[in-house]
Amino acid sequence: MVTGRLVLILGDQLSASLSSLKAADPKRDVIIMGEVASEATYVGHHKKKLAFVFSAMRHFAEELRAAGWRVEYAPLDRPKPFASLTDLVADAAKRLKSKKLVVTEPGEWRVLDEIETWSDRLNLDVTMLDDDRFLCSHADFEEWAGDKKSLRMEYFYREMRRRTGLLMDGDEPAGGAWNYDQENRKPPPAKLVSAGPLGVEPDDITRDVLKLVNKRFPDNFGDLEPFWFAVTRQDAEAARDRFIADSLPRFGDYQDAMLRGEAFLYHSILGLYINIGLLDPIDVCRRAEAAYQSGAAPLNSVEGFIRQIIGWREYVRGIYWREGRDYTSRNYFKAERALPEFFWTGQTKMACVAAVIQQTREEAYAHHIQRLMVTGVFALIAGLDPHAVHEWYLAVYADAYEWVEAPNVIGMSQFADGGALASKPYAASGAYINRMSNYCSGCAYSVKKRTEPDACPFNSLYWD
Ligand code: FAD
Ligand code: DLZ
Ligand code: SF4
């Protein structure tokens, strides 16, 4: 029998509202999904990230089947796993005798370039649709960017507030100001008690995936277990609701704070679910806004949270596609040092770096200020090769896909793009870390010293 069209769904496209699904017909078209070697190895992904992506993909395939779709799913532990997305699609087209493929645009240049070979190589009629899970399309971003000399997130963000109507009183921002960033920089007290993210017990599907990851990727970075991420839409929604009820109220005050042994504080740990498609970014923002409107969360928290999603998240995506294929090889400062071994082992006397890397190894997670002001600042002032730094970040975080990771690393953190994204490099001495954390009190180095042998390396490198 000749089938209708093939609908390829990639590992970070796990949304029921995906444009390719909306365009397809469950009676005729066939969905193809696959765990393929090229995607699993383009960097040495953290073990928890691999398990998260594969288990969420398998659960989404089940969700689609339950909704009446025919889904052809190729797991990595089938007898002959597919080497690439191209092989997966070629096999499906041949077996199912289909000549047409629909796909929602992928999140990175590498995959886009691969898909663009299929009409010639595989003799397929390929339709690529916009990813309308993002609020700002490529065309909208280009229109906003126009011929502006410099693009700054703050103005983009105001535009997005107006466009979505989030936290708006008519034409004016709720509370009278667009941005409450100044109220989001409280240093932490000695102890902060937070509920932390919702943890979910692995089910049978996840347990199979954990076995697969253990067997196929034993030497990858990171602890696979305990594995507690949500892998279904329902559980991701429960994690969202828990964040809004328990942590959002204090998110703003302690957004920049860092405490030894506290990986999550009041952060949402929702980025991984939003990026993979289990949560809808605008829906999460509307629920946060409702918490402000009902008096359950203050404006500095809700504005700060919404700014990250409709502001930063959309803005960095716009920059990624605008800047082009060579973005990840930019190196404005011509920095060439290799990544030190302790980025993988966590074995360094710098207590702040050791804490962030240990937490990254355990959880595939660090919050924004840990990524930016600890490992990021260290890499910048130590002159590490930005491409190696980019590959590290892309590998080690469960929420990392190139469209969002690269602008944050190459642009915001390493200034390797020479200022396409940020107005200045985020360089800082140890004083910043000392103000915003309790790391320095347990460190072999002295944060007060600049030149002595036991001087904090952040100080010596910064003043150098
Ligand atoms: P929260 O602190 O609770 O923030 C809420 C949400 O806002 C996040 O879930 C995310 O969706 C969004 N957000 C916040 N900051 C940013 C930002 N700068 N860019 C885009 N979205 C943002 N984010 C990723 O999603 N993937 C990455 O690979 C990634 N790499 C980063 C690398 C560096 C060097 C830096 C400085 C930042 C990086 N970020 C990345 C941005 C940010 O650190 C993470 O989104 C955030 O830490 C995720 O944790 P959370 O869900 O608890 O976020
Ligand atoms: C991240 C990832 C991983 C680890 N594995 C797969 C996979 O086996 N199959 C797949 O379709 N997608 C995977 N992904 C997500 C893709 O890498 C992602 O779609 C691209 O990076 C584009 O954002
Ligand atoms: Fe980090 Fe320097 Fe503080 Fe040690 S003294 S924890 S190296 S900032």
Side-chain angles (χ1 to χ4, degrees):
M1 185 189 81
V2 177
T3 355
R5 293 169 301 177
L6 303 176
V7 183
L8 172 66
I9 297 189
L10 298 170
D12 56 355
Q13 299 185 337
L14 312 184
S15 311
S17 65
L18 197 70
S19 53
S20 57
L21 280 173
K22 280 188 287 196
D25 175 357
K27 288 194 211 71
R28 288 173 44 83
D29 300 334
V30 179
I31 291 172
I32 49 178
M33 295 178 71
E35 298 161 11
V36 302
S38 59
E39 296 310 302
T41 59
Y42 61 81
V43 285
H45 302 283
H46 192 297
K47 290 192 191 109
K48 270 199 171 75
K49 178 183 180 188
L50 285 169
F52 170 59
V53 174
F54 294 162
S55 181
M57 285 176 70
R58 291 182 186 195
H59 282 92
F60 187 61
E62 291 307 317
E63 184 185 328
L64 291 173
R65 284 185 184 124
W69 292 92
R70 173 170 170 199
V71 184
E72 296 259 325
Y73 190 97
L76 203 58
D77 44 4
R78 74 203 286 271
K80 275 194 181 167
F82 290 107
S84 64
L85 292 167
T86 303
D87 288 359
L88 172 80
V89 169
D91 172 79
K94 195 169 154 208
R95 269 189 311 108
L96 302 168
K97 299 191 177 54
S98 179
K99 291 264 167 230
K100 290 186 177 171
L101 178 113
V102 184
V103 61
T104 293
E105 58 174 327
E108 60 176 300
W109 287 107
R110 180 183 59 81
V111 180
L112 178 69
D113 290 343
E114 185 175 349
I115 294 174
E116 284 182 342
T117 64
W118 293 346
S119 61
D120 285 348
R121 261 176 90 185
L122 307 180
N123 195 20
L124 273 177
D125 174 356
V126 177
T127 304
M128 187 141 36
L129 301 169
D130 282 356
D131 190 343
D132 57 14
R133 297 173 300 168
F134 289 93
L135 305 169
C136 182
S137 68
H138 301 307
D140 289 347
F141 193 82
E142 282 311 306
E143 194 186 322
W144 171 77
D147 49 12
K148 289 185 183 70
K149 277 219 179 68
S150 75
L151 303 181
R152 291 295 164 248
M153 200 295 288
E154 181 59 29
Y155 298 104
F156 172 79
Y157 166 56
R158 292 180 191 182
E159 202 51 46
M160 296 300 286
R161 286 273 294 277
R162 287 195 191 93
R163 178 124 66 95
T164 57
L166 282 163
L167 296 179
M168 296 298 292
D169 285 336
D171 291 340
E172 298 300 317
W178 290 103
N179 185 317
Y180 292 84
D181 206 19
Q182 295 303 330
E183 293 174 35
N184 293 355
R185 292 180 179 155
K186 279 198 187 154
K191 197 165 170 49
L192 282 172
V193 181
S194 71
L198 181 80
V200 178
E201 277 292 310
D203 64 3
D204 288 347
I205 294 181
T206 300
R207 275 195 292 274
D208 282 348
V209 167
L210 295 178
K211 276 189 215 136
L212 163 75
V213 172
N214 247 333
K215 194 165 160 215
R216 294 281 303 245
F217 305 93
D219 301 325
N220 280 38
F221 175 76
D223 297 349
L224 181 58
E225 293 181 76
F227 183 87
W228 53 269
F229 294 150
V231 289
T232 62
R233 191 170 323 285
Q234 206 181 8
D235 285 341
E237 286 170 358
R240 172 202 66 198
D241 294 347
R242 162 143 161 171
F243 163 70
I244 290 176
D246 294 347
S247 293
L248 178 62
R250 304 186 86 188
F251 173 85
D253 283 353
Y254 297 112
Q255 203 177 338
D256 289 5
M258 300 177 276
L259 278 180
R260 247 190 324 268
E262 294 292 333
F264 307 115
L265 293 170
Y266 302 103
H267 288 272
S268 69
I269 334 299
L270 297 180
L272 75 169
Y273 305 134
I274 298 174
N275 291 350
I276 206 166
L278 293 181
L279 294 179
D280 175 11
I282 187 76
D283 173 68
V284 175
C285 290
R286 296 222 183 279
R287 287 166 191 271
E289 181 189 43
Y292 164 64
Q293 286 164 342
S294 71
L299 187 54
N300 74 319
S301 283
V302 174
E303 186 281 318
F305 180 72
I306 286 177
R307 173 165 18 102
Q308 308 310 316
I309 295 183
I310 65 168
W312 279 111
R313 184 171 186 273
E314 296 284 332
Y315 174 75
V316 300
R317 175 182 185 250
I319 296 281
Y320 175 75
W321 289 108
R322 184 179 164 82
E323 287 297 313
R325 289 175 173 76
D326 75 327
Y327 192 67
T328 60
S329 43
R330 307 250 179 110
N331 191 350
Y332 182 72
F333 291 127
K334 300 193 170 48
E336 285 179 343
R337 274 200 194 148
L339 203 73
E341 187 57 22
F342 63 71
F343 268 74
W344 303 109
T345 63
Q347 281 171 11
T348 160
K349 286 196 295 179
M350 292 179 282
C352 53
V353 176
V356 173
I357 291 173
Q358 187 191 338
Q359 167 193 328
T360 299
R361 204 174 51 211
E362 288 168 3
E363 307 294 8
Y365 179 79
H367 73 62
H368 186 69
I369 291 300
Q370 294 176 310
R371 297 185 204 196
L372 184 65
M373 301 306 287
V374 179
T375 39
V377 165
F378 180 83
L380 175 70
I381 62 183
L384 305 189
D385 169 7
H387 190 76
V389 177
H390 145 71
E391 290 199 320
W392 183 80
Y393 277 98
L394 187 58
V396 303
Y397 292 112
D399 54 31
Y401 302 91
E402 196 177 274
W403 65 267
V404 54
E405 171 277 333
N408 273 294
V409 173
I410 296 288
M412 188 187 306
S413 168
Q414 302 302 297
F415 206 75
D417 64 1
L421 181 133
S423 53
K424 59 174 181 17
Y426 276 90
S429 69
Y432 177 86
I433 294 176
N434 193 32
R435 186 165 69 250
M436 296 312 297
S437 80
N438 63 1
Y439 293 142
C440 302
S441 61
C443 186
Y445 296 107
S446 167
V447 72
K448 303 284 176 214
K449 297 183 185 167
R450 272 197 211 175
T451 49
E452 298 81 339
D454 65 339
C456 163
F458 281 78
N459 291 345
S460 17
L461 290 166
Y462 178 75
W463 293 105
D464 180 40

mmCIF file of all heavy atoms in Angstrom, residues 349-353 374 429-431 433-434 437 439-448 455-459, ligand 3:
data_model
loop_
_atom_site.group_PDB
_atom_site.id
_atom_site.type_symbol
_atom_site.label_atom_id
_atom_site.label_comp_id
_atom_site.label_asym_id
_atom_site.label_seq_id
_atom_site.Cartn_x
_atom_site.Cartn_y
_atom_site.Cartn_z
ATOM 1 N N LYS A 349 40.727 23.185 43.203
ATOM 2 C CA LYS A 349 40.655 23.793 44.533
ATOM 3 C C LYS A 349 39.735 25.002 44.555
ATOM 4 O O LYS A 349 39.419 25.537 45.611
ATOM 5 C CB LYS A 349 42.069 24.191 44.981
ATOM 6 C CG LYS A 349 42.925 22.985 45.377
ATOM 7 C CD LYS A 349 44.147 23.413 46.179
ATOM 8 C CE LYS A 349 45.082 24.248 45.321
ATOM 9 N NZ LYS A 349 46.285 24.728 45.983
ATOM 10 N N MET A 350 39.312 25.485 43.386
ATOM 11 C CA MET A 350 38.376 26.623 43.360
ATOM 12 C C MET A 350 37.010 26.097 43.795
ATOM 13 O O MET A 350 36.342 25.364 43.054
ATOM 14 C CB MET A 350 38.288 27.215 41.950
ATOM 15 C CG MET A 350 39.559 27.907 41.501
ATOM 16 S SD MET A 350 39.418 28.565 39.830
ATOM 17 C CE MET A 350 39.632 27.102 38.839
ATOM 18 N N ALA A 351 36.594 26.467 44.997
ATOM 19 C CA ALA A 351 35.372 25.860 45.568
ATOM 20 C C ALA A 351 34.142 26.165 44.715
ATOM 21 O O ALA A 351 33.250 25.317 44.581
ATOM 22 C CB ALA A 351 35.170 26.360 46.995
ATOM 23 N N CYS A 352 34.086 27.363 44.136
ATOM 24 C CA CYS A 352 32.893 27.734 43.351
ATOM 25 C C CYS A 352 32.803 26.869 42.088
ATOM 26 O O CYS A 352 31.748 26.307 41.778
ATOM 27 C CB CYS A 352 32.939 29.217 42.984
ATOM 28 S SG CYS A 352 34.465 29.728 42.169
ATOM 29 N N VAL A 353 33.924 26.737 41.377
ATOM 30 C CA VAL A 353 33.924 25.954 40.129
ATOM 31 C C VAL A 353 33.649 24.481 40.448
ATOM 32 O O VAL A 353 32.846 23.821 39.773
ATOM 33 C CB VAL A 353 35.280 26.116 39.386
ATOM 34 C CG1 VAL A 353 35.326 25.237 38.144
ATOM 35 C CG2 VAL A 353 35.508 27.579 39.012
ATOM 36 N N VAL A 374 30.240 31.744 37.056
ATOM 37 C CA VAL A 374 31.257 30.850 37.641
ATOM 38 C C VAL A 374 32.028 30.177 36.493
ATOM 39 O O VAL A 374 33.114 30.626 36.122
ATOM 40 C CB VAL A 374 30.631 29.835 38.625
ATOM 41 C CG1 VAL A 374 31.715 28.911 39.180
ATOM 42 C CG2 VAL A 374 29.950 30.578 39.778
ATOM 43 N N SER A 429 35.673 39.737 38.941
ATOM 44 C CA SER A 429 36.639 39.157 39.870
ATOM 45 C C SER A 429 35.887 38.278 40.864
ATOM 46 O O SER A 429 34.664 38.136 40.786
ATOM 47 C CB SER A 429 37.364 40.284 40.608
ATOM 48 O OG SER A 429 36.438 40.912 41.467
ATOM 49 N N GLY A 430 36.634 37.733 41.829
ATOM 50 C CA GLY A 430 36.006 36.882 42.849
ATOM 51 C C GLY A 430 35.006 37.638 43.719
ATOM 52 O O GLY A 430 34.156 37.019 44.365
ATOM 53 N N ALA A 431 35.096 38.969 43.754
ATOM 54 C CA ALA A 431 34.206 39.749 44.634
ATOM 55 C C ALA A 431 32.741 39.478 44.306
ATOM 56 O O ALA A 431 31.896 39.397 45.195
ATOM 57 C CB ALA A 431 34.521 41.239 44.505
ATOM 58 N N ILE A 433 31.367 36.708 43.068
ATOM 59 C CA ILE A 433 30.979 35.380 43.576
ATOM 60 C C ILE A 433 30.864 35.424 45.103
ATOM 61 O O ILE A 433 29.939 34.858 45.691
ATOM 62 C CB ILE A 433 31.996 34.306 43.114
ATOM 63 C CG1 ILE A 433 31.912 34.167 41.578
ATOM 64 C CG2 ILE A 433 31.746 32.959 43.796
ATOM 65 C CD1 ILE A 433 32.915 33.221 40.963
ATOM 66 N N ASN A 434 31.775 36.164 45.720
ATOM 67 C CA ASN A 434 31.739 36.264 47.180
ATOM 68 C C ASN A 434 30.464 36.961 47.656
ATOM 69 O O ASN A 434 29.865 36.574 48.657
ATOM 70 C CB ASN A 434 32.969 37.035 47.669
ATOM 71 C CG ASN A 434 33.157 36.895 49.165
ATOM 72 O OD1 ASN A 434 32.823 35.861 49.740
ATOM 73 N ND2 ASN A 434 33.648 37.952 49.786
ATOM 74 N N SER A 437 27.280 34.420 46.863
ATOM 75 C CA SER A 437 27.274 33.009 47.277
ATOM 76 C C SER A 437 27.985 32.825 48.609
ATOM 77 O O SER A 437 28.567 33.770 49.152
ATOM 78 C CB SER A 437 28.018 32.170 46.228
ATOM 79 O OG SER A 437 29.426 32.285 46.421
ATOM 80 N N TYR A 439 30.284 30.285 48.596
ATOM 81 C CA TYR A 439 31.363 29.390 48.147
ATOM 82 C C TYR A 439 32.716 29.767 48.768
ATOM 83 O O TYR A 439 33.511 28.905 49.124
ATOM 84 C CB TYR A 439 31.502 29.426 46.623
ATOM 85 C CG TYR A 439 30.327 28.859 45.847
ATOM 86 C CD1 TYR A 439 29.909 29.454 44.657
ATOM 87 C CD2 TYR A 439 29.658 27.711 46.274
ATOM 88 C CE1 TYR A 439 28.849 28.930 43.914
ATOM 89 C CE2 TYR A 439 28.586 27.196 45.539
ATOM 90 C CZ TYR A 439 28.197 27.808 44.364
ATOM 91 O OH TYR A 439 27.146 27.298 43.635
ATOM 92 N N CYS A 440 32.996 31.075 48.833
ATOM 93 C CA CYS A 440 34.367 31.502 49.181
ATOM 94 C C CYS A 440 34.755 31.110 50.605
ATOM 95 O O CYS A 440 35.935 30.877 50.873
ATOM 96 C CB CYS A 440 34.515 33.010 48.993
ATOM 97 S SG CYS A 440 34.155 33.523 47.303
ATOM 98 N N SER A 441 33.767 31.004 51.504
ATOM 99 C CA SER A 441 34.115 30.700 52.896
ATOM 100 C C SER A 441 34.681 29.280 53.030
ATOM 101 O O SER A 441 35.364 28.971 53.995
ATOM 102 C CB SER A 441 32.895 30.870 53.798
ATOM 103 O OG SER A 441 31.899 29.960 53.382
ATOM 104 N N GLY A 442 34.428 28.425 52.029
ATOM 105 C CA GLY A 442 34.973 27.069 52.117
ATOM 106 C C GLY A 442 36.042 26.824 51.070
ATOM 107 O O GLY A 442 36.214 25.688 50.631
ATOM 108 N N CYS A 443 36.753 27.874 50.641
ATOM 109 C CA CYS A 443 37.690 27.720 49.525
ATOM 110 C C CYS A 443 39.135 27.772 49.981
ATOM 111 O O CYS A 443 39.477 28.492 50.924
ATOM 112 C CB CYS A 443 37.436 28.837 48.504
ATOM 113 S SG CYS A 443 38.406 28.660 46.997
ATOM 114 N N ALA A 444 39.997 27.021 49.285
ATOM 115 C CA ALA A 444 41.421 27.028 49.607
ATOM 116 C C ALA A 444 42.063 28.374 49.250
ATOM 117 O O ALA A 444 43.118 28.725 49.772
ATOM 118 C CB ALA A 444 42.114 25.908 48.831
ATOM 119 N N TYR A 445 41.450 29.122 48.369
ATOM 120 C CA TYR A 445 41.986 30.421 47.958
ATOM 121 C C TYR A 445 41.347 31.531 48.769
ATOM 122 O O TYR A 445 40.257 31.376 49.316
ATOM 123 C CB TYR A 445 41.706 30.662 46.469
ATOM 124 C CG TYR A 445 42.409 29.689 45.560
ATOM 125 C CD1 TYR A 445 41.690 28.679 44.917
ATOM 126 C CD2 TYR A 445 43.783 29.777 45.354
ATOM 127 C CE1 TYR A 445 42.325 27.778 44.074
ATOM 128 C CE2 TYR A 445 44.426 28.876 44.515
ATOM 129 C CZ TYR A 445 43.701 27.877 43.880
ATOM 130 O OH TYR A 445 44.335 26.993 43.055
ATOM 131 N N SER A 446 42.047 32.679 48.784
ATOM 132 C CA SER A 446 41.503 33.826 49.502
ATOM 133 C C SER A 446 40.932 34.833 48.509
ATOM 134 O O SER A 446 41.635 35.333 47.631
ATOM 135 C CB SER A 446 42.602 34.500 50.330
ATOM 136 O OG SER A 446 42.117 35.745 50.758
ATOM 137 N N VAL A 447 39.655 35.130 48.699
ATOM 138 C CA VAL A 447 38.976 36.026 47.767
ATOM 139 C C VAL A 447 39.422 37.481 47.970
ATOM 140 O O VAL A 447 39.182 38.331 47.121
ATOM 141 C CB VAL A 447 37.438 35.854 47.888
ATOM 142 C CG1 VAL A 447 36.912 36.459 49.182
ATOM 143 C CG2 VAL A 447 36.722 36.417 46.675
ATOM 144 N N LYS A 448 40.108 37.733 49.072
ATOM 145 C CA LYS A 448 40.560 39.106 49.343
ATOM 146 C C LYS A 448 41.914 39.390 48.679
ATOM 147 O O LYS A 448 42.365 40.526 48.654
ATOM 148 C CB LYS A 448 40.716 39.339 50.860
ATOM 149 C CG LYS A 448 39.461 39.072 51.659
ATOM 150 C CD LYS A 448 38.458 40.216 51.502
ATOM 151 C CE LYS A 448 37.166 39.888 52.235
ATOM 152 N NZ LYS A 448 35.989 40.401 51.581
ATOM 153 N N ALA A 455 46.021 33.615 46.233
ATOM 154 C CA ALA A 455 44.996 34.572 45.774
ATOM 155 C C ALA A 455 43.937 33.847 44.948
ATOM 156 O O ALA A 455 44.247 32.920 44.192
ATOM 157 C CB ALA A 455 45.646 35.661 44.934
ATOM 158 N N CYS A 456 42.708 34.290 45.075
ATOM 159 C CA CYS A 456 41.610 33.727 44.271
ATOM 160 C C CYS A 456 41.964 33.843 42.789
ATOM 161 O O CYS A 456 42.242 34.943 42.298
ATOM 162 C CB CYS A 456 40.347 34.528 44.582
ATOM 163 S SG CYS A 456 39.057 34.287 43.358
ATOM 164 N N PRO A 457 41.953 32.736 42.040
ATOM 165 C CA PRO A 457 42.307 32.800 40.605
ATOM 166 C C PRO A 457 41.405 33.755 39.815
ATOM 167 O O PRO A 457 41.849 34.342 38.832
ATOM 168 C CB PRO A 457 42.129 31.355 40.128
ATOM 169 C CG PRO A 457 42.299 30.525 41.349
ATOM 170 C CD PRO A 457 41.745 31.338 42.478
ATOM 171 N N PHE A 458 40.162 33.921 40.252
ATOM 172 C CA PHE A 458 39.285 34.878 39.548
ATOM 173 C C PHE A 458 39.878 36.290 39.670
ATOM 174 O O PHE A 458 39.782 37.084 38.742
ATOM 175 C CB PHE A 458 37.862 34.846 40.123
ATOM 176 C CG PHE A 458 37.040 33.689 39.626
ATOM 177 C CD1 PHE A 458 37.227 32.418 40.152
ATOM 178 C CD2 PHE A 458 36.096 33.856 38.632
ATOM 179 C CE1 PHE A 458 36.474 31.340 39.699
ATOM 180 C CE2 PHE A 458 35.334 32.792 38.160
ATOM 181 C CZ PHE A 458 35.532 31.530 38.696
ATOM 182 N N ASN A 459 40.490 36.597 40.820
ATOM 183 C CA ASN A 459 41.098 37.923 40.988
ATOM 184 C C ASN A 459 42.345 38.056 40.123
ATOM 185 O O ASN A 459 42.498 39.022 39.375
ATOM 186 C CB ASN A 459 41.486 38.151 42.452
ATOM 187 C CG ASN A 459 40.265 38.291 43.338
ATOM 188 O OD1 ASN A 459 39.156 38.489 42.825
ATOM 189 N ND2 ASN A 459 40.455 38.185 44.630
HETATM 190 FE FE1 SF4 B 3 35.775 30.920 43.776
HETATM 191 FE FE2 SF4 B 3 37.751 32.635 44.355
HETATM 192 FE FE3 SF4 B 3 35.676 32.376 45.994
HETATM 193 FE FE4 SF4 B 3 37.465 30.385 45.756
HETATM 194 S S1 SF4 B 3 37.828 32.432 46.547
HETATM 195 S S2 SF4 B 3 35.221 30.194 45.814
HETATM 196 S S3 SF4 B 3 37.986 30.536 43.595
HETATM 197 S S4 SF4 B 3 35.612 33.150 43.911
#
